[in-house]
Amino acid sequence: MNILSFKKQDDFFAYGPVVSNNGDACLYIDANFPYECERLICQKGDKKTVIFESLFIFSYAFLNDKILFSAFKDESNTELFVSDLEGNIIALFRKSGKVTNIRTNGNFAVYERRIGKSSKVFMFDINNIESDIQISNNNQNAYDPDIAVDENGKVAITYTVFIDGNYRIALKELNEEQIIISDKPFPCITPSISAKSGGGFYICFVSYTEGRSCEDTYLRHFKNRERHALFTNYTKIYVFVYQDGKLLQFSNDRNHTIKGTDYGRYPRISEIGDKSPCLIFQKYDCFQGETASRKPKIVLLHIDDSFSKETVLSEYEIYEGYPSSVVLGNDIFVCYTKDNRKTGWNVNGEWFDMENQIELGLKKVSIDCIATTQTLQSHCLNPHPTISLEEKAVRKKRDDGKILAWGQTHCHTNISICQRPYDQCPDFNIRLMQDVLKCDFGTITDHEYNQWDIDIHMNHKITNFYYFKGKFVSFPAYEWTGSKAMHEGGPFGHVNPLYLEEQGRMDFYNPTDPTCNGSTLNKLWNAYENKKIITIPHHTSDDMHTYNFDFFNEKFIPVVELFQDCRGQHEQRDVIGSTDYKKSDKGWVIDALKRGLKFGFIGGGDHSGIAIGGVLADELSRNAIYEAMMKRQTFASTSISADVTFTANGKPVGSVLKTDSAKFNLEVSARAKISYIEIVENGHTVSRNSVSRKSFSYQWSANTNGELNFHYVRICFENGEVIWTSPIWLEKK
């Protein structure tokens, strides 16, 4: 059944269908454009019922003959509703924080509740909705819950948990202790659980494979290699049985993976037909040739001793997330979002596709089941030492009353075409920023040419969900990709517009579309006039995507991305932070500074989300981040965070001083040992000073010589990490 279809020029969009328990109805979100609010729709046959309207509806599911959903209340809270299928509200309860990832089974529901950077899993019984129970442990972040009830009435919940610096799979039976059931040294995420005939449960989850080479990156220490592997390695799906307190594996495969699940994500497990287990999951094609650009398909795999029977349920799907499906005997009902849009780089991207459509549908697939054999044996959890990905952040109370916040301003997801089978979904990227890198702010910056109104809306929705003023700052953003735009003075290079207004929405513009209002940098800045938007240039000296510093506007470029994971530093040739990535003779930051341009430095992850930037802010809010960047009070880092103070005559980093001489002060406190610092004056390294400790301070003096005087410091750690301070400028009185 086709629920609805829409094209780019239509004045509405829709997404996120969820199928009912008996396969005869579905829920989804629709919205008109220009955007005002989302509507939760229940469709059964041709009948459409509006269940609820809200600025954002974050999660929803059928709960027997009812609907459970969470909707926006304010910037820090959602409300959780129960309604009937006609939209009549039966119950409402308010808890602090934001609720998402709702899953239901029988009378039970589980969900995530987020407050700032803390995420916990809760459960409730529909018969006692006000008394929800925290399932996950207090000292661990938990995500992606799923719940099942076996034929003996036992209730079990699985979820992803961040523990000992990595992502693991936890299992908790009601009224029992949490146990960790994934024993791979690599991250494991997105579990699913279902009841097994005869008692017990089937459990599946995704695990990353052993790290590929990261020789194209600057940092190659062990922890960084494992972080980088999250964005360069394919995934596999693991399946186990949990019964009578024991974990069982299928005996034919000593690696416990299901053949045919390479590049698989978001599995759902259930029994079909002859009560054999099956997997329904998203699957990418191998990252080879043209298949690199494809979006995932939904497939079904029977699980037996051959692991061989695959059925394609839907060709291509637009957004990441669990496939919504229900199995009734030999019939499978699947809700899908089919993406018929063309995809590619620049003018071949979704932005330019006015003809093809996105389709929401409900599909029934009947499977001819074959007899299956499942041989189980005990699984001994492997006592592998945990590989910790976690950065140990330094947070000190500063004498200046400021907060040195570290975060991410350049991060791609699988919305961008560049490496879809490896890039992560937006939620995973922001979790990684918070759990692993200990970021205080972060955003998603997918290429504008791969986005329509629906994709732009999702960027606003996701960044709204993760924004908690005072705890974590997220904000709408995208990548304006102007290195192939040859009109009106181009090529321009790439910038990331960051929307730092506390409320409202940002218009996205495409430089490869000469007809749009922001098709050049000057037009982009005119379109963003009088708004708190910053446009940060990045990989400025890249050979293919060089930034043209002839286009500079201090109101929109107070900072420049100095370092990026793979492309390395763009400061100047042959200094620390360099990689073998091919560079241009143009676009070097040091040359722009010598021209008299004034801007600070920041780091960005691009397609691996690891390099970060520091901002010396008054508080954790969008406005405060904006004000700090406009003052150039920033730092660039390869991935490490530290507490850094850099002043001249008592004035902070980024300042311009009218003086004949200045006394500089540098103070650093970190969790890793600092090897040395390099003092840079007017682009020249004038001294290198050994440190060999984790905390130190250093003072020196400099005179104002001529009109050009800018000073900054490279802080170089023993493990290869580097932090760059932004410059301080000295000008004659």
Side-chain angles (χ1 to χ4, degrees):
M1 177 181 74
N2 182 25
I3 300 171
L4 58 85
S5 303
F6 57 94
K7 298 180 180 180
K8 182 179 182 182
Q9 62 265 41
D10 292 335
D11 60 358
F12 74 96
F13 54 86
Y15 64 94
V18 173
V19 66
S20 65
N21 298 334
N22 56 11
D24 67 343
C26 65
L27 298 169
Y28 61 90
I29 297 290
D30 79 357
N32 291 327
F33 196 83
Y35 180 78
E36 293 182 357
C37 68
E38 292 186 330
R39 302 190 307 170
L40 178 61
I41 305 295
C42 179
Q43 181 160 343
K44 188 172 183 179
D46 294 330
K47 180 183 178 182
K48 298 182 180 180
T49 303
V50 178
I51 302 300
F52 199 76
E53 294 185 3
S54 176
L55 181 63
F56 297 111
I57 298 170
F58 289 113
S59 190
Y60 43 93
F62 286 98
L63 184 60
N64 295 329
D65 59 348
K66 301 177 179 64
I67 299 169
L68 176 65
F69 61 95
S70 66
F72 175 90
K73 181 188 177 190
D74 55 45
E75 68 175 25
S76 299
N77 301 283
T78 59
E79 295 176 319
L80 196 57
F81 296 88
V82 179
S83 80
D84 62 20
L85 301 187
E86 299 299 321
N88 299 305
I89 301 301
I90 299 170
L92 159 66
F93 68 102
R94 298 180 175 93
K95 301 286 185 180
S96 58
K98 297 176 182 176
V99 169
T100 190
N101 282 340
I102 297 171
R103 302 290 172 201
T104 60
N105 190 296
N107 289 331
F108 297 100
V110 290
Y111 56 86
E112 290 178 35
R113 187 193 302 163
R114 171 173 289 276
I115 301 176
K117 293 192 282 187
S118 172
S119 177
K120 303 293 182 284
V121 169
F122 288 80
M123 185 199 82
F124 69 79
D125 186 330
I126 189 62
N127 297 313
N128 189 14
I129 191 170
E130 292 291 343
S131 299
D132 56 347
I133 303 168
Q134 183 172 324
I135 297 300
S136 59
N137 293 348
N138 273 327
N139 60 344
Q140 300 160 1
N141 272 355
Y143 312 101
D144 310 316
D146 196 15
I147 187 169
V149 184
D150 77 359
E151 60 188 44
N152 299 316
K154 288 186 177 181
V155 179
I157 302 103
T158 55
Y159 45 93
T160 305
V161 61
F162 188 73
I163 182 172
D164 296 330
N166 213 323
Y167 293 99
R168 300 286 178 239
I169 304 302
L171 171 69
K172 183 179 177 69
E173 289 188 280
L174 202 56
N175 303 318
E176 300 291 339
E177 293 296 318
Q178 168 185 293
I179 62 172
I180 303 299
I181 60 170
S182 59
D183 58 354
K184 303 302 170 187
F186 315 111
C188 299
I189 58 174
T190 57
S192 174
I193 188 170
S194 68
K196 178 182 179 296
S197 295
F201 304 94
Y202 290 109
I203 301 169
C204 67
F205 56 84
V206 167
S207 178
Y208 290 85
T209 58
E210 188 170 359
R212 293 195 311 169
S213 169
C214 61
E215 297 305 312
D216 57 340
T217 65
Y218 168 67
L219 285 177
R220 299 174 188 175
H221 61 71
F222 180 74
K223 183 176 289 188
N224 188 74
R225 295 177 74 96
E226 295 306 317
R227 292 173 183 168
H228 192 68
L230 290 168
F231 302 91
T232 58
N233 290 358
Y234 65 90
T235 54
K236 290 180 178 288
I237 296 175
Y238 292 75
V239 175
F240 295 95
V241 169
Y242 187 75
Q243 194 169 30
D244 298 327
K246 297 179 180 179
L247 198 63
L248 307 175
Q249 69 184 56
F250 293 91
S251 62
N252 78 314
D253 191 341
R254 63 184 177 86
N255 292 319
H256 329 307
T257 57
I258 303 302
K259 294 177 182 177
T261 65
D262 290 0
Y263 298 93
R265 296 184 182 180
Y266 301 98
R268 304 292 288 172
I269 191 165
S270 58
E271 287 187 336
I272 185 170
D274 57 356
K275 298 184 178 180
S276 63
C278 67
L279 280 175
I280 299 174
F281 60 98
Q282 282 190 358
K283 184 179 182 181
Y284 282 91
D285 288 321
C286 242
F287 191 53
Q288 295 176 356
E290 293 183 359
T291 62
S293 67
R294 291 182 181 173
K295 298 181 174 76
K297 56 189 176 185
I298 302 176
V299 302
L300 177 144
L301 276 179
H302 276 124
I303 301 174
D304 61 11
D305 282 350
S306 64
F307 301 126
S308 60
K309 186 173 175 56
E310 176 180 311
T311 302
V312 176
L313 301 180
S314 179
E315 276 300 318
Y316 301 112
E317 193 180 31
I318 177 174
Y319 290 117
E320 289 290 298
Y322 289 98
S324 178
S325 60
V326 62
V327 178
L328 300 173
N330 289 1
D331 296 329
I332 301 174
F333 296 85
V334 181
C335 269
Y336 60 88
T337 307
K338 188 174 182 180
D339 189 1
N340 298 302
R341 302 177 296 179
K342 71 176 184 179
T343 188
W345 284 265
N346 300 306
V347 296
N348 296 312
E350 287 85 342
W351 178 286
F352 295 94
D353 191 343
M354 307 298 290
E355 297 301 322
N356 294 310
Q357 64 186 14
I358 293 173
E359 173 187 338
L360 272 61
L362 175 61
K363 185 175 184 178
K364 176 183 175 182
V365 180
S366 297
I367 304 296
D368 294 328
C369 293
I370 58 175
T372 59
T373 303
Q374 302 134 33
T375 306
L376 299 172
Q377 67 181 39
S378 294
H379 174 70
C380 297
L381 286 169
N382 197 329
H384 276 304
T386 297
I387 295 174
S388 176
L389 309 174
E390 189 174 8
E391 180 68 34
K392 299 297 184 182
V394 174
R395 296 291 185 270
K396 293 178 62 177
K397 186 175 181 180
R398 298 174 58 92
D399 293 337
D400 56 14
K402 300 277 189 176
I403 300 168
L404 180 48
W406 292 92
Q408 183 60 259
T409 58
H410 189 181
C411 178
H412 288 277
T413 75
N414 45 25
I415 297 297
S416 295
I417 187 176
C418 308
Q419 50 181 52
R420 280 190 177 127
Y422 300 121
D423 273 333
Q424 305 297 332
C425 70
D427 289 292
F428 184 91
N429 275 285
I430 294 181
R431 292 174 188 176
L432 187 82
M433 295 173 198
Q434 296 179 346
D435 292 330
V436 172
L437 297 175
K438 305 304 181 187
C439 289
D440 302 299
F441 62 89
T443 190
I444 302 300
T445 56
D446 283 308
H447 292 291
E448 78 294 293
Y449 52 71
N450 289 130
Q451 301 189 66
W452 268 8
D453 295 334
I454 180 175
D455 312 89
I456 294 167
H457 170 72
M458 293 304 294
N459 183 285
H460 283 84
K461 182 175 183 176
I462 289 164
T463 52
N464 179 283
F465 178 79
Y466 285 98
Y467 182 28
F468 286 80
K469 189 174 181 179
K471 295 181 173 65
F472 184 81
V473 182
S474 56
F475 38 85
Y478 67 101
E479 179 166 339
W480 189 92
T481 315
S483 58
K484 301 299 181 183
M486 307 305 293
H487 52 273
E488 300 182 53
F492 306 99
H494 295 194
V495 301
N496 288 341
L498 313 181
Y499 183 82
L500 293 166
E501 297 278 4
E502 287 297 325
Q503 296 179 339
R505 296 170 72 86
M506 177 169 63
D507 292 326
F508 284 32
Y509 298 105
N510 186 346
T512 52
D513 180 2
T515 66
C516 82
N517 290 337
S519 61
T520 71
L521 281 172
N522 287 330
K523 289 180 178 179
L524 184 73
W525 295 327
N526 286 336
Y528 290 153
E529 188 69 30
N530 298 321
K531 296 180 181 178
K532 292 181 178 179
I533 295 176
I534 287 172
T535 59
I536 303 178
H538 58 266
H539 51 55
T540 57
S541 62
D542 178 82
D543 185 61
M544 293 180 61
H545 307 295
T546 309
Y547 186 76
N548 184 353
F549 276 104
D550 289 341
F551 294 93
F552 186 82
N553 185 328
E554 63 182 10
K555 292 192 297 184
F556 292 96
I557 307 181
V559 296
V560 170
E561 188 179 293
L562 184 76
F563 181 87
Q564 191 180 101
D565 295 329
C566 292
R567 290 180 173 92
Q569 59 85 16
H570 298 272
E571 177 195 345
Q572 57 183 305
R573 288 193 182 275
D574 303 323
V575 298
I576 191 168
S578 301
T579 68
D580 291 333
Y581 220 95
K582 190 175 181 181
K583 299 293 180 64
S584 170
D585 291 330
K586 301 177 180 179
W588 292 97
V589 161
I590 205 69
D591 295 331
L593 290 172
K594 287 180 177 180
R595 289 170 57 179
L597 304 183
K598 293 184 177 68
F599 51 81
F601 302 156
I602 206 161
D606 201 353
H607 282 283
S608 57
I610 297 173
I612 56 176
V615 174
L616 198 58
D618 290 328
E619 63 177 8
L620 289 180
S621 69
R622 291 178 179 177
N623 284 350
I625 298 292
Y626 174 81
E627 295 298 333
M629 286 187 176
M630 291 303 297
K631 295 175 182 176
R632 302 179 292 269
Q633 294 182 359
T634 60
F635 303 85
S637 172
T638 52
S639 77
I640 194 170
S641 61
D643 187 75
V644 184
T645 298
F646 179 46
T647 63
N649 292 350
K651 300 297 182 180
V653 62
S655 296
V656 180
L657 279 66
K658 298 284 188 179
T659 182
D660 293 328
S661 63
K663 183 176 181 180
F664 290 89
N665 178 55
L666 177 70
E667 299 176 13
V668 184
S669 179
R671 290 187 179 273
K673 187 174 286 189
I674 302 157
S675 179
Y676 58 91
I677 63 167
E678 292 181 331
I679 297 173
V680 182
E681 181 178 330
N682 297 335
H684 303 288
T685 303
V686 295
S687 69
R688 174 188 280 199
N689 302 281
S690 296
V691 178
S692 297
R693 55 187 184 273
K694 295 180 180 180
S695 298
F696 81 104
S697 62
Y698 185 74
Q699 292 79 37
W700 70 99
S701 297
N703 295 320
T704 306
N705 299 314
E707 295 183 1
L708 272 178
N709 264 272
F710 57 89
H711 304 250
Y712 60 90
V713 182
R714 307 182 194 109
I715 304 163
C716 307
F717 294 80
E718 290 187 353
N719 60 6
E721 301 268 10
V722 185
I723 292 176
W724 289 261
T725 73
S726 289
I728 293 176
W729 286 263
L730 306 183
E731 294 182 356
K732 280 187 174 295
K733 291 182 179 180

